[in-house]
Amino acid sequence: MRFLLHLLVVTFVSFSATAHADDPEAMQILEKMTSAAKTLTYEGVFNYQSGRNLQSIRIFHRADENGELERMISLNGAAREVIRNNDMVTCINPDGKQVNISRRPLGRGFPSDLPRRFSSAAPYYEVEMGGKSRIAGKEAYQLLITPIDNYRYGYHLWVDAETYLLLKSELIGQDGDVLETFSFSSVSTGEPIPDYKFKSLLA
């Protein structure tokens, strides 16, 4: 369960709407990205890479009048799943025998949690627009989030130009190296997701 637990507990430094920024357009996109993570229904496959460790995860995320429902499934290595119903998280091991249920802050995974954690931090970053790119077949705005001191990591974010869903994130070290990457390889938004896709096949 190691990589999915890492997804749930990985700590990203947050940003507030009052963060030091010279680019109002970038801040507006950042705010829309935060909202999109909570309100969009989407499904897709994303990759997480840290050093030589590469994991592929299928995600289903539904937002409706009942809140958020999310299921993440490992696609390589041993079969593992995480199911989140609002703030209730269930982690399921390959044998289906160890199911850990805990109440905790929503998410702690990509892409639903990273924007959420941008909502409550001190103004230690500059946020500005980068160029446009294509991620998972979609046109994306790039946001460059740079610390104003040498004590924090930076971020490069790519946000869907149509839906404002976060499509890719890079954690940038002080020397400019990419330390961690989350990136969709495929994603679709707005289509209804049936209930059975949120049922674990392991439990």
Side-chain angles (χ1 to χ4, degrees):
M1 194 81 230
R2 183 176 177 183
F3 88 91
L4 281 176
L5 288 177
H6 179 76
L7 286 177
L8 294 175
V9 301
V10 63
T11 301
F12 289 97
V13 178
S14 311
F15 303 88
S16 70
T18 59
H20 176 75
D22 297 324
D23 194 333
E25 181 183 6
M27 290 304 298
Q28 185 178 48
I29 292 173
L30 190 64
E31 292 171 4
K32 289 181 178 180
M33 180 187 75
T34 303
S35 175
K38 297 184 293 184
T39 60
L40 285 179
T41 293
Y42 56 87
E43 62 178 286
V45 174
F46 68 88
N47 298 310
Y48 164 67
Q49 183 164 11
S50 178
R52 296 182 178 180
N53 180 38
L54 175 64
Q55 299 289 340
S56 295
I57 301 97
R58 177 172 294 280
I59 186 171
F60 300 96
H61 181 273
R62 185 168 70 192
D64 57 23
E65 64 277 5
N66 297 315
E68 293 180 78
L69 184 60
E70 185 173 87
R71 178 180 174 214
M72 292 190 292
I73 309 156
S74 63
L75 297 181
N76 54 345
R80 299 175 175 91
E81 297 186 18
V82 169
I83 297 175
R84 176 171 66 86
N85 189 342
N86 291 315
D87 61 350
M88 185 65 70
V89 179
T90 304
C91 305
I92 307 172
N93 287 323
D95 57 11
K97 294 180 180 179
Q98 297 182 10
V99 179
N100 304 316
I101 301 177
S102 59
R103 188 169 295 277
R104 64 186 71 187
L106 291 176
R108 298 292 178 96
F110 171 89
S112 59
D113 184 61
L114 181 57
R116 207 186 315 272
R117 296 180 66 82
F118 288 164
S119 63
S120 60
Y124 297 132
Y125 293 83
E126 293 182 346
V127 183
E128 60 183 341
M129 297 293 297
K132 284 188 175 182
S133 301
R134 280 179 59 81
I135 306 295
K138 298 179 179 295
E139 185 177 33
Y141 299 115
Q142 184 186 30
L143 301 181
L144 307 177
I145 301 177
T146 307
I148 62 175
D149 54 35
N150 294 322
Y151 303 107
R152 280 160 261 275
Y153 293 127
Y155 297 87
H156 293 170
L157 307 179
W158 285 264
V159 182
D160 187 348
E162 181 179 357
T163 66
Y164 296 97
L165 181 67
L166 178 62
L167 299 176
K168 180 178 178 179
S169 169
E170 293 180 343
L171 179 66
I172 309 298
Q174 294 180 4
D175 56 4
D177 289 342
V178 177
L179 304 179
E180 293 181 344
T181 301
F182 292 88
S183 182
F184 271 112
S185 57
S186 63
V187 63
S188 60
T189 58
E191 295 296 325
I193 302 177
D195 289 343
Y196 76 87
K197 290 192 176 182
F198 295 97
K199 304 295 183 182
S200 173
L201 299 179
L202 303 176

